[in-house]
Amino acid sequence: MRSLSFLFVALLATAGALEASQEAETALPAPGSLQQIKDFTGPTNASLYIYVPPKLPPSPALLVAVHHCAGNAPGFFRSTPYKALADAHGFIVAYPHSYHSGGCWDVSSRATLKHGGGGDSASIAAMVGWVLKAHPATDKSRVYLTGTSSGAMMTNVLAATYPELFAAAVVYSGVPAGCFSMPVATASSAEAPPWNSTCSQGKLISSVQHWAQIAKDMYPGYSGPRPRMRIIHGGTDTALLPPNYNETIKQWSGVFGYDWTKPVSVKQDTPKHGYSTTSWGPKLEGVWAAKEGHTVPYMGEADMKFFGLG
Ligand SMILES: *[C@@H]1O[C@H](CO)[C@@H](O)[C@H](O)[C@H]1NC(C)=O
Ligand SMILES: *[C@@H]1O[C@H](CO)[C@@H](O)[C@H](O)[C@H]1NC(C)=O
Ligand SMILES: *[C@@H]1O[C@H](CO)[C@@H](O)[C@H](O)[C@H]1NC(C)=O
């Protein structure tokens, strides 16, 4: 009996040590430079890079920044303003990194277009989970999301599939969630993500109700809070044509129950000259950049203001 309980105590101690070593592995990386998180694994092969600013407040926010096609996490880290903004405002930035040849995200498979479906969207959701575990002091009510082009498409997909994770999202030059879905959707994210030219050319015009239903069906039965959305698009975009702006606005107005034909305000030359910002309600605004192509340049400070991070 005695030796058995001894063994039990010894086992507990070993388990404790194991747990401690696992925790040590999931700690945030050293501050001040971009780091790949080698021990992160998600349902797909997407990998995770993290930037921790030198001065981290006691309960920091988290921003997830999703790259474009032909992009990658280190490149996105260098080409976007979020590192400097993280240094100035003290939040963690997570940069998901695509494993697909071509560097796009899967925004069209059945797996990725479903909450818990095990596609690339689930991998990025798991990255948020990784940060919250590695640094439990992270403020989970202040997790934000942004992306450009393919990353913008993924931002809309994540807002629909994992609305419970994000407080707000900024979409630079994307398409509505589900616009790239295939007639016979491929089953998993592992296959090369197909390009959908009907959608990219702005030929998928649908009703508010239909777009909203597509987004809601990605997480059936969900009735909790959803991220505030800011949709940005350029008027001379030739890669993801301008009609995708209104279609995305229609989708989210339908989800939030706003009348997209009756915006509550339109501000010209906001946030900069030649752009206009339209609001449909507290959770949805659009920025129309009439003279910009693909993609609209980042507006880091305006993003901060929208997130409430400034
Ligand atoms: C693009 O996606 C739509 C669904 O939004 C689908 O109906 C259409 O067939 C797809 N087009 C291509 C070229 O795959
Ligand atoms: C992940 O990569 C491994 C090794 O290259 C491959 O065998 C596997 O099919 C990939 N999984 C997915 C979901 O892409
Ligand atoms: C979006 O819809 C508004 C209102 O109907 C219209 O004035 C505008 O031209 C549309 N924009 C695009 C890019 O289709």
Side-chain angles (χ1 to χ4, degrees), residues 242-243 246 260 288:
N246 278 349
W260 97 281
W288 178 246

Side-chain angles (χ1 to χ4, degrees), residues 27-40 47-53 73-74 77 83 92-97 130-131:
L28 282 184
S33 64
L34 185 70
Q35 304 279 338
Q36 184 177 2
I37 306 301
K38 294 277 169 45
D39 77 324
F40 170 79
S47 47
L48 170 61
Y49 286 69
I50 286 185
Y51 178 72
V52 178
F77 171 74
K83 181 230 177 252
I92 302 165
V93 193
Y95 298 89
H97 178 86
W130 189 94
V131 174

Side-chain angles (χ1 to χ4, degrees), residues 72-115:
N72 53 60
F76 207 52
F77 171 74
R78 284 190 303 269
S79 63
T80 55
Y82 305 114
K83 181 230 177 252
L85 291 164
D87 288 342
H89 302 295
F91 55 88
I92 302 165
V93 193
Y95 298 89
H97 178 86
S98 170
Y99 57 100
H100 297 290
S101 65
C104 300
W105 293 99
D106 170 24
V107 289
S108 60
S109 74
R110 230 178 273 134
T112 205
L113 296 178
K114 193 165 194 310
H115 178 85

Side-chain angles (χ1 to χ4, degrees), residues 177 207-220 250-251 254-255:
S207 68
V208 167
Q209 207 201 348
H210 184 233
W211 279 128
Q213 200 58 47
I214 287 173
K216 287 181 186 167
D217 285 348
M218 291 183 191
Y219 192 177
K250 280 153 82 175
Q251 178 168 59
V255 168

